[in-house]
Amino acid sequence: MKRILSIILALGLLAAFAGGVQAEELKIGSLSPLTGPYAADGNDIANGARAAIKVIKDEGGIEGYDDIVLLAQDSACDPRQAVAAANKLINEEVAGVVGAYCSSATIPASETLAEEDIIMITPASTNEKVTERGLDYMFRMCGRDDDQSKAAVKFMTDYLKGKTIFIVDDKTTYSQGLADNVEKLANEAGIEVIEHDHVNQGDKDFSAVLTKIKEANPDVFYMSLQNSSSGALMLIQAKRAGIDAAIVAQDAVYHPQLIENAKEAADGVYLTFGFIDEEKPAFKKFKDAYAEYGDPGAYSGYAYDAAYVLLSGIKAAGSTDPAAVKDEIMKMDFEGATKHVKFAENGDSGSNYVIRVIKDGKYVNFWDPNTGELY
Amino acid sequence: MDYFLQQFINGLTLGGVYALVALGYTMVYGIIQLINFAHGEIFAAGGYMGVILLSFLAAHGLMETSPWLCLGLSMVLSMGYCAMLAMAVEKIAYKPLRHSSRLSVLLSALGMSIFLQNGLMLTQGVYDKAYPIGFTSGGFDIGTLHINYMQVIILGLTTALLLALNTLVYKTRIGKAMRATAQDKVMSALVGINSNRVIAVTFAIGAALAAAAGIMVGLYYGSVRYDMGFVPGIKAFAAAVLGGIGNITGAMIGGLIIGMVEIMAAAYIPHGGEYKDVFAFVILILVLYFMPTGIMGENVDDTRV
């Protein structure tokens, strides 16, 4: 009996002790598709946020917290799952959220988070509506669709001197929104839109529509797809179909995997993508921190900057109170890894789209729509 | 005209793939009246096995010296692997339920399909896996018509495999046993046919054909993905029903029709590309409405069922 009592006592003491040293954790969340067709980009986003946490910790961490953790949630690019994941993050009492990926998931998730005044910074959702709904705590790290399509059409007219264009999208909020913008701007610029066709997400065989393009023989083929996986399939089949048109794609198609899968079929493809100066110290710092996850994907850098901004905001404010953190974020004016960080009143951080080209299995900066000059 | 011919070739290629996968559905249905929903995953597993084997051979430098040998070897090994996989699936998920209601076996098949797909995802990752070689641009021209080598390979190999299957079913002892079992399992068992063995062989043959289709699709499109089996599986199933489930020639014709309808809808109907799946299934519904047993008729004795 005595022995049992002493064991119980010892256990009780242990429990009390364990409770006493519990570390104060700062939790931030990330929302991105970790499974399914967009898993590549989704994991890039979570890893970008992890890299930012690493850098902040190296810089001395945040006062009052022993540890910073990332709760990476799977939004699956699905509105319902994104809202469920957002609710989970609310229950975990996160200080802010990096994400989501698909605009169609970001918008409903942001409304859920807005009810609890939780800061959300999207590294990847380019749809205009994301920041145009007047949400107080919604920020955007990447560029906007309307700016992206402007850059694309400017490239088609000024550099490619295209007279005709064939547009294909895969009907997602992102790809169709972008394709519609390009169609409108192309019409205004006097480019003849031969056809604006659609394919389905998850299709593997594009031979029919590509043969159509071959027959129409446009100057430019605008390929508006939601991910690099479909992009690679379409490029291989476009090459096979013998399409001579210049192919212009956009940032969602950008991924190291695209070149890996499409190989030489990816050569010469143009993409609109946010300009990143890979020589600047901030980018190098990000790349070093990211090294353990491999080569940065399309949105790794934006996710890194988003998480860095969020954590720096908390650090400067000395609390996780959203209004105080927002004040600090609005004050920021510095050179991030991907771009110059200075938020506008609506939460946008500006677009800096340039044209990149795939050359010898690498993405290379190619043309600047602001100056009309080659890099 | 060239535009039509080009699209026709596209349709034939796609249809050929569906036909190869459809054969597995139709043969298994013919023998044990089971819709083997795990068949699409066998097709995906075949594609993955091809990538793994070819990458292995490429890593050892054999690819440059003899690409055709490597391709043949990977195909044969992958077909063998999938045959064994399908026999294992049959033994685990279907055999114990052979005397249960059809609904339980159907559920077991669906479960197996989900299990195999998740297995592929967990072991091979969620990313696309690229084939180490691609026949992306090689081909020849007839006038302005461009034919890709991969299209020739798909069509040629599909035809060869179908002829081989036909010989097997109609000219060999095991083929005779298969047909007998399909007609009456109890009677054929009474005259000394080992129906368990026949069923296992049927699964193996269907899976081998699906594996060949998986590799060809991987080569044609340049990469494979863990969920690549789902949609072709459904399409091939539709093709088998369209042709008359249980009927080998029917599965072939059904596959070609579905492939052709998809391509032609995308080619000639404005915005047809968005609705090509709808057209394929509308054709299926119409055919079944007017010909309930499919184009070639079911190979099953209705009075018994």
Side-chain angles (χ1 to χ4, degrees):
Chain A
M1 192 62 201
K2 220 173 179 182
R3 192 191 275 166
I4 295 173
L5 254 175
S6 61
I7 290 174
I8 290 173
L9 205 70
L11 279 175
L13 270 174
L14 235 145
F17 184 67
V21 296
Q22 197 168 37
E24 192 65 36
E25 268 183 351
L26 175 64
K27 289 190 249 185
I28 63 167
S30 81
L31 281 171
S32 59
L34 302 175
T35 57
Y38 311 113
D41 291 309
N43 283 300
D44 289 345
I45 289 173
N47 289 337
R50 287 189 186 109
I53 290 178
K54 203 166 132 195
V55 168
I56 289 276
K57 276 186 188 166
D58 286 347
E59 288 174 356
I62 296 176
E63 213 176 316
Y65 297 101
D66 301 314
D67 201 9
I68 307 168
V69 290
L70 180 79
L71 301 172
Q73 293 292 317
D74 187 4
S75 66
C77 195
D78 171 63
R80 276 168 306 163
Q81 197 163 332
V83 169
N87 275 315
K88 188 154 185 226
L89 290 175
I90 291 171
N91 290 336
E92 292 279 354
E93 297 178 349
V94 293
V97 175
V98 174
Y101 170 74
C102 296
S103 297
S104 47
T106 306
I107 292 172
S110 67
E111 269 155 28
T112 308
L113 292 172
E115 284 167 22
E116 301 292 327
D117 288 344
I118 291 177
I119 292 177
M120 184 181 200
I121 309 181
T122 175
S125 298
T126 49
N127 195 284
E128 299 90 12
K129 285 197 202 100
V130 169
T131 48
E132 281 181 359
R133 293 163 299 146
L135 292 183
D136 281 342
Y137 297 107
M138 182 81 227
F139 296 93
R140 167 168 24 215
M141 208 48 169
C142 52
R144 288 164 58 111
D145 280 349
D146 40 4
D147 296 320
Q148 178 158 206
S149 41
K150 241 179 254 162
V153 172
K154 198 151 192 290
F155 178 65
M156 291 170 200
T157 52
D158 292 7
Y159 181 82
L160 295 173
K161 314 250 179 265
K163 301 264 177 291
T164 51
I165 177 176
F166 198 114
I167 303 173
V168 175
D169 71 53
D170 65 2
K171 297 197 293 183
T172 57
T173 311
Y174 164 85
S175 74
Q176 195 167 2
L178 209 40
D180 288 345
N181 269 334
V182 165
E183 182 176 2
K184 199 180 91 203
L185 292 171
N187 274 323
E188 285 168 10
I191 303 179
E192 184 202 345
V193 179
I194 299 177
E195 202 170 330
H196 180 170
D197 215 333
H198 311 270
V199 294
N200 297 309
Q201 264 181 289
D203 274 359
K204 289 219 175 258
D205 191 287
F206 304 115
S207 56
V209 70
L210 292 168
T211 303
K212 214 187 230 180
I213 298 174
K214 166 81 180 158
E215 182 75 5
N217 196 21
D219 295 335
V220 183
F221 163 31
Y222 187 68
M223 185 175 97
S224 184
L225 299 174
Q226 175 86 58
N227 67 351
S228 62
S229 161
S230 321
L233 290 173
M234 203 178 249
L235 289 179
I236 289 176
Q237 294 173 46
K239 171 133 191 187
R240 189 181 294 149
I243 290 174
D244 305 317
I247 301 177
V248 181
Q250 0 79 349
D251 56 358
V253 177
Y254 182 101
H255 200 276
Q257 274 226 317
L258 178 76
I259 300 176
E260 215 171 285
N261 291 349
K263 301 191 186 71
E264 72 269 12
D267 247 27
V269 172
Y270 303 104
L271 302 100
T272 41
F273 198 76
F275 175 74
I276 295 175
D277 175 8
E278 300 195 347
E279 296 305 315
K280 67 179 173 186
F283 184 82
K284 285 190 171 148
K285 198 189 223 177
F286 150 67
K287 217 177 162 192
D288 286 345
Y290 195 85
E292 63 178 291
Y293 310 113
D295 269 341
Y299 302 103
S300 309
Y302 290 125
Y304 168 86
D305 273 343
Y308 190 83
V309 161
L310 177 66
L311 291 169
S312 309
I314 295 170
K315 194 173 180 173
S319 87
T320 55
D321 174 55
V325 177
K326 184 182 174 172
D327 280 347
E328 291 301 328
I329 290 180
M330 294 308 288
K331 268 190 246 161
M332 285 178 190
D333 193 349
F334 70 100
E335 203 54 46
T338 52
K339 70 203 294 188
H340 189 87
V341 176
K342 178 82 190 102
F343 287 99
E345 205 44 55
N346 66 354
D348 268 329
S349 63
S351 310
N352 51 353
Y353 286 104
V354 296
I355 310 296
R356 288 191 150 198
V357 69
I358 298 172
K359 211 177 141 194
D360 303 326
K362 274 197 192 76
Y363 293 98
V364 202
N365 284 331
F366 185 69
W367 192 76
D368 188 342
N370 298 314
T371 60
E373 286 186 8
L374 293 172
Y375 280 104
Chain B
M1 191 60 196
D2 276 345
Y3 176 67
F4 172 76
L5 279 178
Q6 194 80 58
Q7 296 286 20
F8 188 79
I9 292 168
N10 292 340
L12 270 186
T13 317
L14 190 61
V17 172
Y18 288 159
L20 271 187
V21 185
L23 284 171
Y25 279 102
T26 228
M27 282 164 61
V28 166
Y29 186 86
I31 296 261
I32 51 172
Q33 281 80 52
L34 159 72
I35 309 291
N36 178 16
F37 276 113
H39 194 58
E41 271 59 49
I42 302 278
F43 158 81
Y48 263 102
M49 206 58 200
V51 131
I52 292 165
L53 290 168
L54 281 172
S55 304
F56 176 79
L57 293 171
H60 287 73
L62 289 164
M63 209 59 137
E64 288 97 51
T65 49
S66 44
W68 293 106
L69 185 74
C70 289
L71 203 58
L73 188 68
S74 323
M75 193 161 269
V76 170
L77 285 176
S78 164
M79 285 167 82
Y81 165 77
C82 284
M84 288 193 292
L85 181 65
M87 286 197 283
V89 166
E90 195 267 332
K91 193 145 197 157
I92 295 163
Y94 306 144
K95 200 176 169 194
L97 297 171
R98 200 159 288 159
H99 301 291
S100 322
S101 77
R102 286 228 219 151
L103 197 59
S104 343
V105 194
L106 191 71
L107 285 177
S108 181
L110 278 173
M112 208 62 208
S113 157
I114 295 167
F115 175 79
L116 287 176
Q117 193 183 113
N118 282 291
L120 265 183
M121 184 178 88
L122 291 172
T123 54
Q124 303 298 322
V126 290
Y127 299 107
D128 290 30
K129 261 204 160 72
Y131 262 72
I133 47 167
F135 294 80
T136 48
S137 53
F140 54 89
D141 294 299
I142 307 174
T144 53
L145 197 67
H146 182 79
I147 298 170
N148 179 256
Y149 287 138
M150 205 53 224
Q151 290 174 321
V152 179
I153 295 175
I154 290 184
L155 290 175
L157 206 58
T158 306
T159 317
L161 286 170
L162 288 175
L163 289 177
L165 179 69
N166 218 45
T167 315
L168 184 92
V169 172
Y170 290 103
K171 299 274 156 62
T172 62
R173 276 176 67 91
I174 183 74
K176 205 179 231 175
M178 279 163 73
R179 282 180 290 141
T181 310
Q183 212 165 54
D184 194 324
K185 209 164 11 184
V186 180
M187 256 334 266
S188 57
L190 284 178
V191 295
I193 293 171
N194 182 344
S195 62
N196 279 337
R197 196 171 140 253
V198 169
I199 291 167
V201 168
T202 309
F203 268 88
I205 295 169
L209 294 174
I215 292 197
M216 290 194 288
V217 162
L219 282 170
Y220 189 47
Y221 298 134
S223 59
V224 288
R225 231 177 107 103
Y226 73 96
D227 60 357
M228 69 185 270
F230 181 69
V231 174
I234 299 274
K235 296 270 174 65
F237 168 57
V241 175
L242 181 63
I245 192 145
N247 188 309
I248 290 176
T249 324
M252 224 181 74
I253 295 173
L256 289 176
I257 291 177
I258 299 252
M260 202 58 89
V261 165
E262 263 189 51
I263 295 289
M264 289 306 170
Y268 286 104
I269 300 170
H271 293 286
E274 288 173 76
Y275 301 109
K276 62 186 169 60
D277 295 354
V278 178
F279 290 113
F281 286 101
V282 164
I283 297 282
L284 176 69
I285 291 165
L286 287 180
V287 168
L288 290 184
Y289 190 76
F290 293 108
M291 289 187 254
T293 52
I295 292 170
M296 299 292 287
E298 278 186 59
N299 223 357
V300 192
D301 183 2
D302 280 339
T303 52
R304 185 170 51 81
V305 185

